[in-house]
Amino acid sequence: MTQDNTTRADPEKERVFTVEIGKLRILSNEMRKEQHERIINWVDESPFRDGSSGKSLTFVLPTRGCKYAMAKHGGCSMCTLPMDNPLNPTTESLYQLPERTWEIFEKKGGVAEFRGVKFYTSGSYLDPWELPVDLRRAILAKFVDNVDEITIETRCEFVIKKHIEDILEVVPAEKLIVAIGQETTDDEINKRSVNKGHKRKQFERAVKLLHQYNVQVKGYILLKSIFMSEVSSLDDVLRSAKHMNDIGVQNISINPCYIGKKTLMEQMFYRGTYRPPWLWTVYYAAKAAKQLVGDRARVICDPVAAGSERGPRNCGSCDKALKATLKEFSSTQDLSLLDIELCECHQIYTSVLSTEHLANGMGTTSVYH
Ligand code: SF4
Ligand SMILES: [Zn+2]
């Protein structure tokens, strides 16, 4: 009797994707500095839970970055975040972070200026491998009485009782938001395109646990990862937003891809098999997601590198205005801001939507490429 193997996955082929990501991660790690003490920071206008908007200061803490990215499988396929972080920060430099972040906060306007702070690490704030437990508490303790909201980012495997209870000893639940980069709630897309390593169930577990402690969740959704077309990514964003809304995620952040150095996305971009998303796709994703979730969730969409060659873009003449509109919508949640006049490139965009899969299904087009 012969066995039919046609439906079985070839283990060698299954590994090609992550082997390539792993090789590129080695290259990107070689470009990292052994040590540096730079704290990247920026100011943005954010929506707050009472419906008003206000300024937030975001810090990227120079920890050693995401452990998941350092694994043999190379981490998420689009991610170059740890490239900004030192490979081996000294203990001394880490323990200066409470003072140094506070100094930046004060210098940029302090309590009079900011209603919120966000702490990113290019990894997970709740991973003790990056930030020792006493240090992560000390950083939060500096700010807790001076802002309305504190956001921290983490992968969902670190969302466990021990870590949540530890953070809640310093920050009351009503001030805390835990952001999780789930990217998509479609496990197949996550496995074949993003390599996130979180399944939807794991994300749901983390959300449920945070909600048990009355902590708000922010879910990140990635728009147009590799091998995705404009249409399929729009569809995926909306399905993911719906899933997140169904389980009560209060903040949904839509993050269009931009091309990071030493990524598979960059290699595909150079070969002409990947184009960053059109800003029109981003626009429709934000608009439809907000229409879908209504007042039950804040929808945030402030695309990084919008209008640049390596970022989400349209024709070049409407990009700046559309980015500004999305930014304003994100801080106010006012859907009427998204009633805009369409640029003439919109016609080309609509034809791309119906034809790009005829090329290779990877979002390529020669117009405005
Ligand atoms: S979990 Fe976050 S930081 Fe880590 S590789 Fe993925 S996107 Fe990058
Ligand atoms: Zn245009």
Side-chain angles (χ1 to χ4, degrees):
M1 199 170 78
T2 55
Q3 203 179 358
D4 179 8
N5 284 331
T6 50
T7 55
R8 287 219 185 130
D10 176 343
E12 278 306 305
K13 282 190 184 150
E14 287 270 305
R15 285 184 61 242
V16 169
F17 173 55
T18 53
V19 166
E20 285 308 308
I21 301 172
K23 282 188 205 159
L24 290 160
R25 187 70 65 188
I26 291 168
L27 292 181
S28 73
N29 277 337
E30 282 168 2
M31 292 170 73
R32 285 170 66 178
K33 286 206 167 74
E34 271 294 298
Q35 285 179 27
H36 76 68
E37 294 174 6
R38 189 164 43 103
I39 301 177
I40 298 170
N41 63 89
W42 65 86
V43 177
D44 60 25
E45 195 76 21
S46 305
F48 283 78
R49 64 186 80 191
D50 62 4
S52 63
S53 67
K55 282 203 168 66
S56 291
L57 180 57
T58 301
F59 298 100
V60 182
L61 306 177
T63 67
R64 56 178 128 175
C66 179
K67 187 158 57 187
Y68 180 76
M70 308 303 150
K72 212 172 159 192
H73 53 62
C76 302
S77 65
M78 73 304 181
C79 177
T80 49
L81 297 175
M83 280 179 94
D84 291 327
N85 289 41
L87 263 177
N88 288 306
T90 61
T91 307
E92 194 190 349
S93 71
L94 285 175
Y95 277 85
Q96 287 168 354
L97 288 175
E99 278 308 322
R100 292 188 56 220
T101 48
W102 180 254
E103 270 168 29
I104 294 170
F105 180 79
E106 291 228 291
K107 206 165 150 196
K108 296 220 159 176
V111 181
E113 187 74 0
F114 300 111
R115 288 184 59 198
V117 280
K118 301 174 192 173
F119 293 105
Y120 302 165
T121 68
S122 301
S124 294
Y125 194 91
L126 295 181
D127 182 359
W129 182 78
E130 285 187 57
L131 270 183
V133 171
D134 59 336
L135 176 58
R136 76 184 183 199
R137 290 168 62 116
I139 294 168
L140 299 175
K142 273 272 179 210
F143 291 86
V144 67
D145 294 329
N146 299 293
V147 290
D148 298 333
E149 241 171 49
I150 296 183
T151 304
I152 56 174
E153 272 184 352
T154 185
R155 283 182 59 84
C156 59
E157 59 264 37
F158 302 109
V159 179
I160 54 173
K161 274 185 170 201
K162 188 169 83 173
H163 292 326
I164 305 172
E165 285 174 6
D166 178 61
I167 296 293
L168 288 178
E169 279 182 24
V170 186
V171 184
E174 63 273 16
K175 281 196 178 187
L176 184 64
I177 296 180
V178 174
I180 302 173
Q182 179 58 26
E183 322 300 3
T184 168
T185 55
D186 185 317
D187 288 344
E188 200 57 20
I189 294 175
N190 229 332
K191 181 177 171 189
R192 309 272 170 204
S193 170
V194 187
N195 195 34
K196 189 82 207 177
H198 292 166
K199 287 199 169 166
R200 180 174 157 185
K201 273 203 164 148
Q202 289 160 288
F203 176 67
E204 286 173 355
R205 179 207 61 80
V207 171
K208 196 172 165 195
L209 189 62
L210 286 162
H211 284 167
Q212 279 168 9
Y213 288 92
N214 292 318
V215 174
Q216 280 209 358
V217 180
K218 185 175 188 178
Y220 295 133
I221 302 175
L222 192 67
L223 191 155
K224 203 177 175 187
S225 186
I226 51 176
F227 314 130
M228 302 284 286
S229 66
E230 301 287 329
V231 172
S232 60
S233 52
L234 183 53
D235 178 60
D236 179 51
V237 168
L238 294 181
R239 274 185 296 133
S240 299
K242 179 171 183 337
H243 291 152
M244 287 189 181
N245 191 236
D246 286 347
I247 58 169
V249 172
Q250 298 94 336
N251 306 276
I252 295 173
S253 176
I254 299 170
N255 300 310
C257 281
Y258 61 92
I259 297 160
K261 282 185 188 152
K262 305 289 173 208
T263 56
L264 215 46
M265 187 176 279
E266 183 184 51
Q267 294 201 335
M268 292 173 65
F269 173 66
Y270 287 150
R271 285 180 198 146
T273 54
Y274 177 83
R275 183 208 192 271
W278 280 71
L279 271 174
W280 290 123
T281 303
V282 180
Y283 162 80
Y284 284 118
K287 190 173 180 177
K290 186 63 191 171
Q291 284 167 339
L292 189 77
V293 305
D295 291 336
R296 295 184 301 277
R298 294 179 262 182
V299 173
I300 300 121
C301 183
D302 183 8
V304 176
S308 72
E309 205 202 355
R310 295 169 74 104
R313 57 188 151 84
N314 284 348
C315 64
S317 37
C318 61
D319 303 48
K320 214 170 153 189
L322 193 45
K323 178 183 160 62
T325 303
L326 287 167
K327 211 174 157 70
E328 202 184 341
F329 158 72
S330 298
S331 62
T332 59
Q333 298 295 289
D334 180 358
L335 255 178
S336 71
L337 291 169
L338 298 181
D339 293 334
I340 53 169
E341 269 189 40
L342 301 177
C343 172
E344 61 184 27
C345 72
H346 189 270
Q347 280 191 357
I348 294 161
Y349 168 71
T350 50
S351 71
V352 168
L353 289 186
S354 53
T355 54
E356 65 178 329
H357 63 283
L358 298 175
N360 55 12
M362 291 178 184
T364 57
T365 170
S366 58
V367 186
Y368 304 135
H369 198 266

